[in-house]
Amino acid sequence: MIQIREADITTLSVDAIVNAANETLLGGGGVDGAIHRAAGPELLDHCRGLGGCRTGSARITPGFALPARFVIHTVGPVWKGGQSGEAERLRSCYLESFRLAEESRIKSIAFPAISTGVYGYPSIEAASIATQTMLENESDFDVIIACCFSAADVTVYETALGRKPPAPSN
Ligand code: ADP
């Protein structure tokens, strides 16, 4: 089952939440900052030992003080106009996250809209990639949550999943 929810991802009681991290894995702004604040300083200590993560890859850690048991940290691409392999690397973030989740027998997982904040990826294009990978992996999980941080993003995901007709253009 794929659920679209408008929520702060740090509040979700799921097996794993996904973090839109940067290559250092040492914290940042946006969802990354929120996850580190909610997980507590042990998460940063743990991440220091991982030696970073390349764009399109993922790493798994405990959730520490979070309600989620695990955090899967993945590094989305910075949007540079769309001709720099952004789509392939964004897809890789989702696929690598699903792969690590399956290895850890995770059955419920929540994703933020990776790359669509500071990294500037256009929301509609990003949601199309996100939902495609969710549909491909849906049968391996009890629930996959697309965790949106705005009502506008909820509409973008509903449209991407064909649950809502696009708004008329006139
Ligand atoms: P990136 O650097 O990958 O663009 P950001 O954290 O800037 O990462 O933004 C990614 C998405 O996460 C954006 O859609 C942003 O609105 C959303 N976001 C920010 N904080 C939270 C949160 N606490 N829970 C869920 N989503 C969040």
Side-chain angles (χ1 to χ4, degrees), residues 18-19 21 25 50 52-61 71-76 89 92-101 103 111 114:
V18 176
N19 182 15
L25 295 184
L50 297 179
C53 177
R54 297 181 71 134
T55 301
S57 295
R59 298 282 180 274
I60 189 164
T61 69
V71 179
I72 295 174
H73 307 258
T74 188
V75 183
R89 284 186 294 162
S92 173
C93 286
Y94 285 94
L95 296 181
E96 287 296 296
S97 298
F98 280 126
R99 191 178 61 76
L100 290 181
E103 272 179 20
F111 287 87
I114 299 164

Side-chain angles (χ1 to χ4, degrees), residues 7-10 20 29-32 34 112-120 147 149 153:
D8 174 347
I9 202 165
T10 64
V31 71
D32 194 6
I114 299 164
S115 281
T116 66
V118 174
Y119 282 4
C147 180
F149 209 45
D153 261 359

